[in-house]
Amino acid sequence: MRGNGYYVYILRCAGGSLYTGITTDVARRFAEHVGGGKKGAKYTKNHTPEEVAALWRVENRSAASKLEWYIKHLVRREKLLLCEKPAQLSVQTGIAAEAIVLSALSYPASETSCALSESIADAQET
């Protein structure tokens, strides 16, 4: 998939909960969620994100919105399986989604944004 496009992501939050969203800039969006300001999601204000559990790149907003909707309607167990095998999302939905493999990002939240930028840049080069 060429170009940056849109990203669909699953965040693992404090307490083990999961949050799904879409963005064009994962590192910026993660920082907004962690910062808890006006731009972060209402959910992540009370459930601090700890890491990006899964990440997919798609060509356009329409595809991203469809995948987000699909993921948000899965039960927790199914979301965890997607985090383990992210390539299954395209198989299950029929929507072209490039799974981006993130090395285990167990950095403190303040460092995760930087690590995300590096991981995404590495994935785009391949």
Side-chain angles (χ1 to χ4, degrees):
M1 212 166 284
R2 291 282 178 227
N4 290 339
Y6 279 79
Y7 296 90
V8 179
Y9 58 89
I10 298 176
L11 301 179
R12 191 175 321 272
C13 299
S17 65
L18 301 171
Y19 174 83
T20 302
I22 64 173
T23 188
T24 56
D25 184 340
V26 181
R28 174 192 50 80
R29 190 67 181 131
F30 186 82
E32 289 172 354
H33 284 306
V34 171
K38 291 180 184 177
K39 296 195 179 213
K42 186 175 182 180
Y43 183 84
T44 58
K45 286 181 170 96
N46 296 317
H47 303 85
T48 306
E50 295 177 343
E51 68 178 353
V52 176
L55 181 63
W56 298 269
R57 184 174 34 230
V58 294
E59 289 187 10
N60 56 52
R61 184 177 178 95
S62 175
S65 294
K66 288 174 185 174
L67 291 177
E68 179 189 32
W69 182 90
Y70 175 82
I71 294 169
K72 285 187 173 190
H73 285 83
L74 296 175
V75 296
R76 177 180 172 75
R77 183 184 83 256
E78 293 169 324
K79 291 176 188 179
L80 291 172
L81 286 172
L82 268 184
C83 291
E84 290 177 23
K85 298 181 180 182
Q88 290 299 308
L89 185 62
S90 288
V91 174
Q92 293 172 3
T93 63
I95 297 172
E98 179 185 353
I100 297 177
V101 178
L102 300 170
S103 50
L105 293 175
S106 56
Y107 304 101
S110 61
E111 296 175 21
T112 300
S113 182
C114 181
L116 273 172
S117 295
E118 292 171 10
S119 293
I120 293 167
D122 290 345
Q124 288 174 340
E125 290 174 4
T126 59

